């Protein structure tokens, strides 16, 4: 039985909750024993700025245990294995929701607990499967519900503020009926993944292109314009990845999407300028993208508000895949909470809002890229695993999800031991490589970075091994081979040799010619490689759909088996960080460029 407050029957909807909170908290309540659900050590770099304002509103997300996720996972691996008889037999939205729906006992128990705090059904948002509950409540009520204390925390390096706690508890009667509650202990802010080394630089229009002979790569047998070694365009990518002359269709039900966050907006005028510069067929018909607002995401078209990340993502993903139906998802939320402007509500966690929306979407895009993430250790393991389960649900529906592997090499991008910042958050302050999330989720395709032609690994390419997720079976042979070639004792204790390995694949990631606010810029980072790879996946889906085959869906089991010969093996370069030179690119899979970069023509034959 859930602990009850004698005031629960007197309370009204949370619409009028704020004036009653002080009264409600003062009422006597039945003694209720709480037990700790989660506790963390504050992540390095975050310090307490002050107490959280009592009336500060928190969008509290309560995750109920997904009763049959293990069954869903079995389905996912069966339909993603190219040698399985069920390959490509993706599940329907309703089938997935049935598998992840919580047990009725959990629903009843949590409903009773919420009711005891005056929270009525009308105040609760429920996911399509009922496995996530969302309520908006002031800090002082959350503190009572979770027997905890919230503070404003400040990040020393960035100056960002968030409202969080380092532990929370639940009544013992519902402890096993709740998997996690956030925002509580999550200090990750899912920043844009642009390299701080090769970031954004304006292109000088006065510089004349040099008339150099084309470059030939004996390993791939491909010839590429010499200009591609200084500026990456759609033409360059099609040449480098053997897709010249391939024309996709707009009539086979194909689709591609880009996830945008943190008030970074795509600009249609910039897309038109880009098309005029690089995709004349799209410019000729004034092609554009479909805009979808997620929980109030905006679509301003003022050139001054054009976002570098969103312009990069949409221009290259949609430019490569034109005329495939394209969608830009703008999710509301801003990165920092500013404690001194009186903002009553924290809005810096849009990532899960996007995932909720996509899981409820009747027809999500078949190829999706997101270029946002954070250090794995800033994301509580419970949250990382639950979000990862959401990605698995998308994969089971036939969606391929690409994510950037990160821009810090094996951690902070710094090879100098004297200045490295790769310190664990477990209170032991050990030096350790820092993998990124969501790249570390085994149900996404993590995309690392390359540079130049012939290609080599770019030094900021995120790579390494997860501390949360064990190595999936589809990676076992490839990663064991890589580990067996490492010199004995190399980096002992710096990474988890049994973890999910990052990245899976790679693509060009520097000197991308992007138009922002009407002007041309060079942009670098794995935030470029992920939408690039997503564009080529959309072309592969085009080839399958033309033949009446289903979309590729979750890619990794295919890539590590039947399709591994469709990648260009990258064997030059490394990804320094954490006071080391990082890992080396080598023959076969490596923790810098994964399986390598796509050879589209080869992959197309392998998947059709």
């Amino acid at each position: 039985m859930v602990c009850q407050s004698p005031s629960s029957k007197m309370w009204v909807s949370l619409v009028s909750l704020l004036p009653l909170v002080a009264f409600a908290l003062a009422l006597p309540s039945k003694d209720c024993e709480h037990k700790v659900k989660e506790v963390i050590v504050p992540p390095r770099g975050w310090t307490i700025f002050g107490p959280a304002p009592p009336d500060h509103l928190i969008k509290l997300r309560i995750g109920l245990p997904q009763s049959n996720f293990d069954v869903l996972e079995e389905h996912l691996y069966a339909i993603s294995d190219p040698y399985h008889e069920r390959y490509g037999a993706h599940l329907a939205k309703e089938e997935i929701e049935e598998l992840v729906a919580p047990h009725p006992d959990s629903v009843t128990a949590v409903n009773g607990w919420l009711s005891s705090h005056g929270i009525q059904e009308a105040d609760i948002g429920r996911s399509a499967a009922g496995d996530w509950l969302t309520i908006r409540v002031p800090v002082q009520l959350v503190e009572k519900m979770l027997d905890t204390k919230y503070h404003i925390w400040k990040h020393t390096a960035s100056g960002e503020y968030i409202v969080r706690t380092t532990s929370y508890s639940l009544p013992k009667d519902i402890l096993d009926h709740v998997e996690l509650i956030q925002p509580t202990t999550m200090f990750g802010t899912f920043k844009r993944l642009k390299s701080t080394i090769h970031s954004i630089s304006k292109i000088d229009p006065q510089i004349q292109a040099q008339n150099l002979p084309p470059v030939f790569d004996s390993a791939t047998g491909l010839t590429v314009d010499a200009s591609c070694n200084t500026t990456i365009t759609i033409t360059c990518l099609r040449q480098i990845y053997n897709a010249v002359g391939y024309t996709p269709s707009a009539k086979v039900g194909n689709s591609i999407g880009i996830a945008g966050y943190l008030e970074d907006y795509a600009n249609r005028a910039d897309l038109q300028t880009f098309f005029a510069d690089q995709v004349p067929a799209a410019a000729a018909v004034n092609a554009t993208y479909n805009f979808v607002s997620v929980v109030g995401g905006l679509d301003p078209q003022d050139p001054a508000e054009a976002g570098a990340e969103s312009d990069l993502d949409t221009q290259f993903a949609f430019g490569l895949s034109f005329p495939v139906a394209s969608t830009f998802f703008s999710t509301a939320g801003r990165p920092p909470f500013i404690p001194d402007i009186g903002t009553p509500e924290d809005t810096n966690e849009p990532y899960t809002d996007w995932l909720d929306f996509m899981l409820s979407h009747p027809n999500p895009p078949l190829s999706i890229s997101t270029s946002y993430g954070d250090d794995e250790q800033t994301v509580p393991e419970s949250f990382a695993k639950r979000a990862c389960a959401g990605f698995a649900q998308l994969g089971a529906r036939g969606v391929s999800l690409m994510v950037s592997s990160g821009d810090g090499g094996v951690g902070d991008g710094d090879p100098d031991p004297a200045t490295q910042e790769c310190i664990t958050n477990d209170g032991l302050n050990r030096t350790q490589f820092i993998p990124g999330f969501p790249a570390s989720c085994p149900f996404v395709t993590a995309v690392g970075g390359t540079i130049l032609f012939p290609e080599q690994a770019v030094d900021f390419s995120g790579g390494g091994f997860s501390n949360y997720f064990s190595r999936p079976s589809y990676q076992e042979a490839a990663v064991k081979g890589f580990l067996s070639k490492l010199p004995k004792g190399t980096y002992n204790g710096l990474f988890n040799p049994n973890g999910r390995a990052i990245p899976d694949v790679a693509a060009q990631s520097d000197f991308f010619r992007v138009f922002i606010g009407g002007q041309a810029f060079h942009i670098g980072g794995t935030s470029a490689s992920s939408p690039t790879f997503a564009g080529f996946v959309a072309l592969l889906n085009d080839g399958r759909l033309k033949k009446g085959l289903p979309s590729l869906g979750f890619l990794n089991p295919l890539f590590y088996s039947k399709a591994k010969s469709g990648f260009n093996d990258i064997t030059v370069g490394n990804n320094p960080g954490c006071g080391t030179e990082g890992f080396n690119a080598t023959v076969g899979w490596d923790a810098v460029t994964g399986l390598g970069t796509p050879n589209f023509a080869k992959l197309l034959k392998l998947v059709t």
Side-chain angles (χ1 to χ4, degrees), residues 153-209:
W153 293 77
K154 181 178 181 180
H155 190 243
T156 305
S158 67
E160 289 186 12
Y161 299 88
I162 57 178
V163 175
R164 297 292 186 273
T165 183
T166 55
S167 69
Y168 66 95
S169 302
L170 291 169
K172 62 180 181 180
D173 293 336
I174 69 162
L175 196 68
D176 293 334
H177 294 294
V178 172
E179 186 172 338
L180 74 162
I181 298 180
Q182 292 294 347
T184 48
T185 58
M186 190 171 82
F187 284 73
T189 54
F190 292 106
K191 57 184 179 292
R192 304 172 183 88
L193 289 176
K194 282 195 291 288
S195 170
T196 56
I197 305 168
H198 301 272
S199 51
I200 305 176
S201 59
K202 192 172 179 179
I203 297 175
D204 188 343
Q206 302 302 317
I207 295 178
Q208 299 295 316

Side-chain angles (χ1 to χ4, degrees), residues 478-524:
V479 176
K480 273 190 172 180
F482 171 76
L483 294 174
S484 69
K485 291 183 287 188
L486 288 179
K488 297 295 183 184
T490 301
Y491 307 148
N492 273 357
L494 290 179
F495 69 93
N496 172 22
N498 300 311
R500 183 274 203 266
I502 309 165
D504 298 298
V505 295
Q508 288 279 321
S509 61
D510 208 0
F511 306 124
F512 277 58
R513 180 175 170 85
V514 179
F515 288 87
I516 309 167
Q519 300 187 55
F521 290 81
H522 276 149
I523 294 185

Side-chain angles (χ1 to χ4, degrees), residues 82-217:
Y83 299 112
H84 197 284
E85 62 182 2
R86 292 182 58 207
Y87 179 64
H90 307 308
L91 301 184
K93 172 177 176 288
E94 294 74 18
E95 292 176 298
I96 291 172
E97 289 169 357
E98 184 176 347
L99 287 170
V100 301
H103 192 280
D105 288 351
S106 295
V107 176
T108 300
V110 174
N111 283 349
W113 172 60
L114 294 177
S115 176
S116 74
H117 289 282
I119 299 167
Q120 301 178 13
E121 180 60 32
D123 305 316
I124 305 172
R126 297 182 187 270
S127 64
D131 55 337
W132 278 109
L133 310 184
T134 305
I135 57 176
R136 293 179 185 272
V137 283
V139 161
Q140 57 186 322
L141 180 55
V142 180
E143 290 179 337
K144 181 183 180 185
M145 292 171 66
L146 305 184
D147 191 24
T148 189
K149 179 68 178 173
Y150 275 77
H151 289 88
I152 298 171
W153 293 77
K154 181 178 181 180
H155 190 243
T156 305
S158 67
E160 289 186 12
Y161 299 88
I162 57 178
V163 175
R164 297 292 186 273
T165 183
T166 55
S167 69
Y168 66 95
S169 302
L170 291 169
K172 62 180 181 180
D173 293 336
I174 69 162
L175 196 68
D176 293 334
H177 294 294
V178 172
E179 186 172 338
L180 74 162
I181 298 180
Q182 292 294 347
T184 48
T185 58
M186 190 171 82
F187 284 73
T189 54
F190 292 106
K191 57 184 179 292
R192 304 172 183 88
L193 289 176
K194 282 195 291 288
S195 170
T196 56
I197 305 168
H198 301 272
S199 51
I200 305 176
S201 59
K202 192 172 179 179
I203 297 175
D204 188 343
Q206 302 302 317
I207 295 178
Q208 299 295 316
Q210 294 179 302
N211 189 21
L212 298 174
V215 181
F216 176 74
D217 180 10

